[in-house]
Amino acid sequence: MPPPRSPPTSLTTLLNTLTSLLRTFSHQLSLPPNTKSTIPNPPNALSLLHDIISLLRAQTTKLSLLLLNKPFTPSAIASILTFISGQCLPGLMTVYEILIPEKYGDLLFAEVRSASQQLAARIVALERCIPCTDDAVRLLDEKREDILQATGKVWGICDRMVQVSEMGITGLAMEKMKEREELVKDAVEEVEEWDLDEEEGEDWDVGMSSDEEGKEEEGEKRMKMSTATDGIASPGNEQLPSLDSLEIKNIHATKARVLKTLKLMRMLYPALRKRRISTFPPFNRTSSLESLPPELQLKSFYQLVRYGEDFSTATDELVGALYDKDVGTVQKRMESMATVAERCVEGAKKGWSGNEDEFTEWGAKWMTRVEEVVKSP
């Protein structure tokens, strides 16, 4: 059997070029973001992102179809690789360069960077499915599932990036706040289902043999008989509850306070979304650059989103301390959460026009209730 001939130079060169560009792009994504664009009169970064990603998705679709269907046509594949290397990747690099966090916000920048990193990796996976030998048909048959999987993942990331460009600053923030609210909601449901009595019973029964259980039951009978014949004890001789029962009672009370606190935190999310997040000046791929919010206003907006993330993280820590039955740490966590809540309500006191509104009064009453729950014994 003669050895396979050398791969076509043009296709091999194009694959090497694409690989080099993907490495450069991945390196660019790992660097700190720009604080100022070097491109004069840059376009709307979200508009450019939408257009470039739409083109890239279409090209990867064509590439996938060429790889999955016979005959194998290197010239058609070369044309697609040329377009991706010459148009799509340089366009994405431009998006990353002009998507300045100070102008578009940290949240949007982080979302696009993360998606771009995933996209670069998936394009590499699809690129590796392209054969460069005369045995291409057999190799493609073997890699059919890999091609479908890689293409599907590229499509998924592209669809997400298009969605982000259409949601824009406000829509993405609304989505993130909703996700955080769901996490707090799940935590509330978990704590409500947490049965401390059942847990204590399971701990007590662990490792107890049937003989030991019989002895325990006999001991309980003797105690009941003794209590029945002891007569009525005087108030001064009343038996005090055991330390364990006092601790369990304390944890039950702490659980109730934790639930009240978390339910109050969950109430804050829809109020913030309705009165502060959704009312922020919208900016997406169809907006003009002149409609970008002022930098200070954008910082205040994203600070509210960060508070939503902080409450979600603090919820995990609070619930963890409760499960550890560490009442002291639970109290500290609740006090810390109340402090952050106070900052959040103060920061959201006025609307984006600078005036007080329905949220102003509601937030003050909500904060008062939070403080009452956290400080209650």
Side-chain angles (χ1 to χ4, degrees), residues 16 78 128 138 150 168-169 175 180 197 224 230 248 250 255 259 262 267 291 297 300 314 322 328 330 349-350:
N16 289 336
R128 288 173 179 165
R138 181 185 63 80
I169 293 173
E175 179 187 83
R180 295 295 177 172
D197 295 327
K224 289 178 181 178
D230 281 344
I248 292 174
N250 191 17
K255 172 186 172 180
L259 278 173
L262 294 182
M267 288 174 60
S291 63
Q297 193 179 57
S300 298
L322 176 65
V330 167
K349 187 176 182 179
K350 296 182 179 180

Side-chain angles (χ1 to χ4, degrees), residues 258-273:
V258 167
L259 278 173
K260 288 180 181 179
T261 302
L262 294 182
K263 287 178 180 180
L264 282 167
M265 292 301 161
R266 185 185 165 194
M267 288 174 60
L268 182 61
Y269 283 94
L272 283 174
R273 288 203 317 272

Side-chain angles (χ1 to χ4, degrees), residues 255-327:
K255 172 186 172 180
R257 290 173 60 228
V258 167
L259 278 173
K260 288 180 181 179
T261 302
L262 294 182
K263 287 178 180 180
L264 282 167
M265 292 301 161
R266 185 185 165 194
M267 288 174 60
L268 182 61
Y269 283 94
L272 283 174
R273 288 203 317 272
K274 181 178 180 180
R275 298 297 181 184
R276 292 296 177 263
I277 304 300
S278 67
T279 58
F280 190 72
F283 184 89
N284 61 14
R285 72 177 184 87
T286 63
S287 306
S288 64
L289 283 178
E290 290 74 20
S291 63
L292 265 172
E295 187 176 326
L296 288 177
Q297 193 179 57
L298 192 62
K299 284 184 178 180
S300 298
F301 174 76
Y302 277 120
Q303 182 58 59
L304 293 182
V305 180
R306 278 192 287 272
Y307 282 137
E309 296 176 357
D310 292 342
F311 290 139
S312 175
T313 302
T315 294
D316 289 341
E317 296 172 347
L318 176 60
V319 172
L322 176 65
Y323 288 165
D324 290 338
K325 307 179 185 68
D326 189 341
V327 176

Side-chain angles (χ1 to χ4, degrees), residues 227-246:
T227 302
T229 57
D230 281 344
I232 301 175
S234 64
N237 293 328
E238 288 178 355
Q239 183 178 2
L240 295 174
S242 67
L243 181 60
D244 285 344
S245 63
L246 284 174

Side-chain angles (χ1 to χ4, degrees), residues 47-184:
S47 177
L48 182 60
L49 175 68
H50 177 277
D51 294 345
I52 293 297
I53 289 299
S54 298
L55 286 173
L56 179 59
R57 192 188 193 284
Q59 293 301 312
T60 54
T61 301
K62 292 178 183 178
L63 178 60
S64 176
L65 291 173
L66 287 171
L67 294 175
L68 292 171
N69 296 287
K70 300 172 184 176
F72 177 62
T73 51
S75 60
I77 291 175
S79 176
I80 292 174
L81 295 179
T82 299
F83 190 89
I84 292 175
S85 297
Q87 301 293 327
C88 298
L89 286 181
L92 278 177
M93 292 178 184
T94 301
V95 169
Y96 187 72
E97 185 174 348
I98 65 177
L99 192 67
I100 310 298
E102 285 76 7
K103 291 178 61 178
Y104 292 88
D106 294 333
L107 181 65
L108 187 58
F109 173 83
E111 186 78 15
V112 173
R113 176 164 66 177
S114 175
S116 298
Q117 290 170 331
Q118 296 174 50
L119 184 60
R122 297 311 174 189
I123 292 175
V124 169
L126 183 58
E127 175 196 9
R128 288 173 179 165
C129 295
I130 301 174
C132 291
T133 68
D134 284 347
D135 203 11
V137 175
R138 181 185 63 80
L139 291 173
L140 287 174
D141 286 340
E142 292 177 356
K143 295 182 178 181
R144 187 176 185 83
E145 289 302 319
D146 293 337
I147 295 168
L148 290 170
Q149 185 177 27
T151 304
K153 290 181 177 179
V154 169
W155 285 351
I157 298 169
C158 288
D159 291 345
R160 173 58 179 171
M161 295 176 84
V162 167
Q163 181 188 36
V164 168
S165 73
E166 293 173 341
M167 289 193 301
I169 293 173
T170 304
L172 182 61
M174 289 281 285
E175 179 187 83
K176 296 300 181 183
M177 289 291 280
K178 184 62 178 176
E179 289 175 358
R180 295 295 177 172
E181 181 187 353
E182 288 299 316
L183 292 175
V184 175

Side-chain angles (χ1 to χ4, degrees), residues 190-204 244-256 322-327:
E190 275 188 23
V191 174
E192 285 178 332
E193 294 173 0
W194 182 50
D195 191 337
L196 178 62
D197 295 327
E198 182 178 331
E199 185 177 281
E200 290 296 318
E202 290 174 356
D203 292 343
W204 178 257
D244 285 344
S245 63
L246 284 174
E247 287 178 342
I248 292 174
K249 184 178 180 181
N250 191 17
I251 294 171
H252 273 297
T254 301
K255 172 186 172 180
L322 176 65
Y323 288 165
D324 290 338
K325 307 179 185 68
D326 189 341
V327 176

